[in-house]
Amino acid sequence: MKYKLTTILLLFIAFLNAQNTQSPSKNISLDFKLSSDGIPSYTLAYKNKPIILQSDLGIKLKETNSLDANFRIENIDRKSVNETWQPVLGEQLNIKNNYNEMTVSLSQLSSNRKLNIIFRVFDEGVAFRYEFPKQPSLNYFIISDEKSQFNLTGNHKTFWIPGDYDSQEYVYNETKLSEVDNSKIDLNNGIGLKSIKDKYRVQSPLQMKTNEGIYINIFEATVVNYPVMHLDLVPNEYKLTSNLVPNAIGDKAYLQAPCVSPWRTIMVSDDARDIVSSKMILNLNEPCKIEDTSFIKPMKYVGIWWEMHVGKATWDYAGSQNAQNAAGNLIPTGKHGATTANTKRYIDFAAKHGFDGVLVEGWNVGWEDWFGNWKENVFDFVTPYPDYNLKEINDYAKSKGVKMIMHHETSGSVANYERHLDRALNLMKEYGYPAAKSGYVGRIIPRGEFHDGQTMVNHFNFVAKRFADYKMMVNSHESSRPTGFSRTYPNYIAAEAARGNEFNAWSNGNPPMHETILPFTRLLGGPMDYTPGIFEIKMSVYDKSKTEQVHTTLAKQLALYITMYSPLQMAADLPENYEKYPDVFQFIKDVAVDWQESKYLEAEPGDYLTIARKDKHSENWFLGAITDENKRTTEIKLDFLSPNKKYKATIYQDGKTADWKNNPISYDIKTIQVTSKSKIKLSLANGGGTAVSFEPIN
Ligand code: NOJ
Ligand code: CA
């Protein structure tokens, strides 16, 4: 009798200590378990196949007992959510948020300390986060480590970049997990700060594919008041563990209960389109906190920008800080891009071709000394160079109906930027600037901080909020990569935070497959300011000795306006280059940037991507198809078009002999009539693409 009761009790505890929850479709199954030592863990299966093997969860605290063992389950809470919300700007009008949630409330046997782990299971993946409830024995605390494991089942194909705490501006490596090794890649290929200590540390989002054709993506959502999570790999065991970016003194996060960690996410599907189209990351973020969002508007813009990257102009007015005359005035180089006259030329061009904005870089004093000196007070964000007349330019822009976009390069001196931010925003207000582009090139001040640490995450989020206070939008470059914060603060309209098109101008560039990977990685967290639209592809046009080039055909540059989602899109090339190809330029003039609907038609990370999108404000559709270095033909059914309409389809495609390396500019434009019953055959060159616009004609 006694024996039987003990067995029943043990069975009951085992039952309580193992909990399961599934996705609405039942394809994904998540098991939570508490070991006999009270260590929490989980496993994940997709269509009954294991995806994540038993993986421990837990938080290490600096000064007190850690929250990683000796737990018992206090309570299990479950709920289901199925709702729809509308983003201010987005890929679609309505976003469905459908998941099953399980909250496991734990308490520690000795200390009675509490920790909750919340799981949400969506149809395309799982998310979990730690919640630290308000409790007497845990108030203000320091996280020294997070031990969230992701134990994979095999040697998957992986698209990875090194775990540099300061930069994501790397080309992706496509290797097996066992071949990840930061010591074997070229870290000099870019402006990354090489804050890489570990051979096997990679960044998330990490996109993988199993031998059986299952796509797995590990990322995070809602990184707020917490550092970015990188991933440590044990290469031959295929085990990943969270690696939180430290601050200057080695701590990871300072928190006060009640509070939560970001969500750790694992997406999984046998169809790559489910991952690349997923809105899970946005869904895990808080709803919009800006009441009046009327100032948040999509923008297509041109700018005094590429001419500096190709070496035709300079950001600085004088060659160096020493280039001063006897009176102490800076001596101009004669190549300064941001002059009043040149800016007016761009304003005229924007007005003529219907662009919303003009960005001007190099307008303010400081560029003589901005790079590499780790100096605190480089820019004040309000003092223009003598040849840049703020008032005249802004009056002129207004008269032409064009908005100016401000530029705030901080050169990593965040302390200085925060000190000047309100003055900088007031200057923007005075002249009616709706938006700024910010930049964080170089090492961070406060010294010792990394771009991806908690202090900097808080800075980027603070800047978005402060811009919202002033009813302005911000687009950050070299920030930590977004994790869906643009749902909460949609005025954080875009970010670069990956290796952008600019690298093609002055480094060995971005290989053709680069743009087929970014939508599976960087873009899951929010819009990217990739700056497409380069028509003069070879840099030898500017200087015969140059061998750099954009790794693309001309038609692919058009397709990127569709495949790289952003409500802020630049036409990045020089006005004179667009004027050479007015027929091709027409697509950039026509293409929308804010959408009712998006259809992910074909997708394979590292190989190809085809997307069709419907303009938010008209019946027009646009299609973009891109490929990697291999040419590709495909047939696309146009069944996304409205059934009873005829459309004029303008197809911008690679010429018959086009090739990204040998013949990048060759293109062909044709116009045909189509309906929703039509099919079109696309032929993409090596490194090529196709763009199509569909306009109803009845
Ligand atoms: C790097 C940015 O990505 C680029 O767009 C900008 O022109 C330079 N920094 C200078 O701020
Ligand atoms: Ca950059």
Side-chain angles (χ1 to χ4, degrees), residues 169 191 441 477-478 496-498 500 502-503 506:
E169 297 189 334
I191 54 171
V441 170
H477 279 225
E478 298 86 41
E496 184 191 41
E502 63 187 18
F503 274 80
W506 35 256

PDB file of all heavy atoms in Angstrom, residues 169 191 441 477-478 496-498 500 502-503 506, ligand 2:
ATOM      1  N   GLU A 169      28.466  44.035 -40.033  1.00  0.00           N
ATOM      2  CA  GLU A 169      28.741  44.355 -41.436  1.00  0.00           C
ATOM      3  C   GLU A 169      29.723  43.352 -42.046  1.00  0.00           C
ATOM      4  O   GLU A 169      30.852  43.689 -42.408  1.00  0.00           O
ATOM      5  CB  GLU A 169      29.227  45.801 -41.546  1.00  0.00           C
ATOM      6  CG  GLU A 169      28.126  46.769 -41.090  1.00  0.00           C
ATOM      7  CD  GLU A 169      28.426  48.225 -41.363  1.00  0.00           C
ATOM      8  OE1 GLU A 169      29.599  48.598 -41.451  1.00  0.00           O
ATOM      9  OE2 GLU A 169      27.468  49.001 -41.482  1.00  0.00           O
ATOM     10  N   ILE A 191      34.391  47.185 -42.045  1.00  0.00           N
ATOM     11  CA  ILE A 191      34.775  48.129 -41.001  1.00  0.00           C
ATOM     12  C   ILE A 191      34.385  47.600 -39.633  1.00  0.00           C
ATOM     13  O   ILE A 191      34.259  48.333 -38.687  1.00  0.00           O
ATOM     14  CB  ILE A 191      34.174  49.528 -41.245  1.00  0.00           C
ATOM     15  CG1 ILE A 191      32.661  49.449 -41.417  1.00  0.00           C
ATOM     16  CG2 ILE A 191      34.832  50.183 -42.433  1.00  0.00           C
ATOM     17  CD1 ILE A 191      31.987  50.808 -41.449  1.00  0.00           C
ATOM     18  N   VAL A 441      29.723  54.782 -36.612  1.00  0.00           N
ATOM     19  CA  VAL A 441      30.983  54.216 -37.082  1.00  0.00           C
ATOM     20  C   VAL A 441      32.038  54.391 -35.986  1.00  0.00           C
ATOM     21  O   VAL A 441      32.194  55.478 -35.443  1.00  0.00           O
ATOM     22  CB  VAL A 441      31.451  54.925 -38.374  1.00  0.00           C
ATOM     23  CG1 VAL A 441      32.881  54.509 -38.731  1.00  0.00           C
ATOM     24  CG2 VAL A 441      30.505  54.617 -39.534  1.00  0.00           C
ATOM     25  N   HIS A 477      22.277  53.742 -38.700  1.00  0.00           N
ATOM     26  CA  HIS A 477      23.299  52.880 -39.311  1.00  0.00           C
ATOM     27  C   HIS A 477      24.288  52.479 -38.211  1.00  0.00           C
ATOM     28  O   HIS A 477      24.526  53.249 -37.278  1.00  0.00           O
ATOM     29  CB  HIS A 477      24.031  53.612 -40.431  1.00  0.00           C
ATOM     30  CG  HIS A 477      23.262  53.607 -41.714  1.00  0.00           C
ATOM     31  ND1 HIS A 477      23.831  53.333 -42.927  1.00  0.00           N
ATOM     32  CD2 HIS A 477      21.944  53.811 -41.957  1.00  0.00           C
ATOM     33  CE1 HIS A 477      22.913  53.388 -43.873  1.00  0.00           C
ATOM     34  NE2 HIS A 477      21.757  53.685 -43.319  1.00  0.00           N
ATOM     35  N   GLU A 478      24.835  51.281 -38.340  1.00  0.00           N
ATOM     36  CA  GLU A 478      25.789  50.727 -37.351  1.00  0.00           C
ATOM     37  C   GLU A 478      25.192  50.637 -35.947  1.00  0.00           C
ATOM     38  O   GLU A 478      25.903  50.664 -34.947  1.00  0.00           O
ATOM     39  CB  GLU A 478      27.103  51.530 -37.301  1.00  0.00           C
ATOM     40  CG  GLU A 478      27.886  51.537 -38.579  1.00  0.00           C
ATOM     41  CD  GLU A 478      27.440  52.628 -39.539  1.00  0.00           C
ATOM     42  OE1 GLU A 478      27.165  53.756 -39.089  1.00  0.00           O
ATOM     43  OE2 GLU A 478      27.353  52.347 -40.740  1.00  0.00           O
ATOM     44  N   GLU A 496      20.247  50.205 -40.744  1.00  0.00           N
ATOM     45  CA  GLU A 496      21.123  49.447 -41.634  1.00  0.00           C
ATOM     46  C   GLU A 496      21.460  48.158 -40.884  1.00  0.00           C
ATOM     47  O   GLU A 496      20.831  47.129 -41.129  1.00  0.00           O
ATOM     48  CB  GLU A 496      22.366  50.266 -41.966  1.00  0.00           C
ATOM     49  CG  GLU A 496      23.266  49.582 -42.963  1.00  0.00           C
ATOM     50  CD  GLU A 496      24.615  50.277 -43.074  1.00  0.00           C
ATOM     51  OE1 GLU A 496      25.181  50.686 -42.044  1.00  0.00           O
ATOM     52  OE2 GLU A 496      25.123  50.385 -44.187  1.00  0.00           O
ATOM     53  N   ALA A 497      22.415  48.197 -39.953  1.00  0.00           N
ATOM     54  CA  ALA A 497      22.676  47.082 -39.040  1.00  0.00           C
ATOM     55  C   ALA A 497      22.914  45.754 -39.750  1.00  0.00           C
ATOM     56  O   ALA A 497      22.477  44.692 -39.296  1.00  0.00           O
ATOM     57  CB  ALA A 497      21.535  46.965 -38.022  1.00  0.00           C
ATOM     58  N   ALA A 498      23.565  45.829 -40.878  1.00  0.00           N
ATOM     59  CA  ALA A 498      24.029  44.665 -41.642  1.00  0.00           C
ATOM     60  C   ALA A 498      24.929  45.245 -42.722  1.00  0.00           C
ATOM     61  O   ALA A 498      25.068  46.477 -42.820  1.00  0.00           O
ATOM     62  CB  ALA A 498      22.875  43.893 -42.272  1.00  0.00           C
ATOM     63  N   GLY A 500      25.574  46.730 -45.893  1.00  0.00           N
ATOM     64  CA  GLY A 500      24.742  47.367 -46.907  1.00  0.00           C
ATOM     65  C   GLY A 500      25.425  47.447 -48.264  1.00  0.00           C
ATOM     66  O   GLY A 500      26.584  47.048 -48.429  1.00  0.00           O
ATOM     67  N   GLU A 502      26.708  49.838 -49.682  1.00  0.00           N
ATOM     68  CA  GLU A 502      27.888  50.714 -49.692  1.00  0.00           C
ATOM     69  C   GLU A 502      29.201  49.926 -49.784  1.00  0.00           C
ATOM     70  O   GLU A 502      30.175  50.410 -50.358  1.00  0.00           O
ATOM     71  CB  GLU A 502      27.901  51.593 -48.440  1.00  0.00           C
ATOM     72  CG  GLU A 502      28.013  50.783 -47.146  1.00  0.00           C
ATOM     73  CD  GLU A 502      27.864  51.632 -45.878  1.00  0.00           C
ATOM     74  OE1 GLU A 502      27.354  52.752 -45.968  1.00  0.00           O
ATOM     75  OE2 GLU A 502      28.249  51.142 -44.798  1.00  0.00           O
ATOM     76  N   PHE A 503      29.212  48.703 -49.206  1.00  0.00           N
ATOM     77  CA  PHE A 503      30.451  47.921 -49.220  1.00  0.00           C
ATOM     78  C   PHE A 503      30.929  47.612 -50.628  1.00  0.00           C
ATOM     79  O   PHE A 503      32.115  47.380 -50.851  1.00  0.00           O
ATOM     80  CB  PHE A 503      30.281  46.628 -48.414  1.00  0.00           C
ATOM     81  CG  PHE A 503      30.546  46.838 -46.953  1.00  0.00           C
ATOM     82  CD1 PHE A 503      29.574  47.379 -46.140  1.00  0.00           C
ATOM     83  CD2 PHE A 503      31.783  46.544 -46.410  1.00  0.00           C
ATOM     84  CE1 PHE A 503      29.821  47.615 -44.798  1.00  0.00           C
ATOM     85  CE2 PHE A 503      32.051  46.775 -45.071  1.00  0.00           C
ATOM     86  CZ  PHE A 503      31.061  47.305 -44.266  1.00  0.00           C
ATOM     87  N   TRP A 506      33.678  50.194 -52.007  1.00  0.00           N
ATOM     88  CA  TRP A 506      35.068  50.362 -51.557  1.00  0.00           C
ATOM     89  C   TRP A 506      35.671  49.144 -50.861  1.00  0.00           C
ATOM     90  O   TRP A 506      36.673  49.254 -50.169  1.00  0.00           O
ATOM     91  CB  TRP A 506      35.209  51.586 -50.656  1.00  0.00           C
ATOM     92  CG  TRP A 506      34.023  51.870 -49.764  1.00  0.00           C
ATOM     93  CD1 TRP A 506      33.096  52.848 -49.948  1.00  0.00           C
ATOM     94  CD2 TRP A 506      33.636  51.173 -48.560  1.00  0.00           C
ATOM     95  NE1 TRP A 506      32.147  52.815 -48.942  1.00  0.00           N
ATOM     96  CE2 TRP A 506      32.455  51.802 -48.088  1.00  0.00           C
ATOM     97  CE3 TRP A 506      34.135  50.089 -47.842  1.00  0.00           C
ATOM     98  CZ2 TRP A 506      31.777  51.390 -46.931  1.00  0.00           C
ATOM     99  CZ3 TRP A 506      33.472  49.663 -46.692  1.00  0.00           C
ATOM    100  CH2 TRP A 506      32.310  50.318 -46.252  1.00  0.00           C
TER     101      TRP A 506
HETATM  102 CA    CA B   2      27.307  51.025 -42.516  1.00  0.00          CA
END
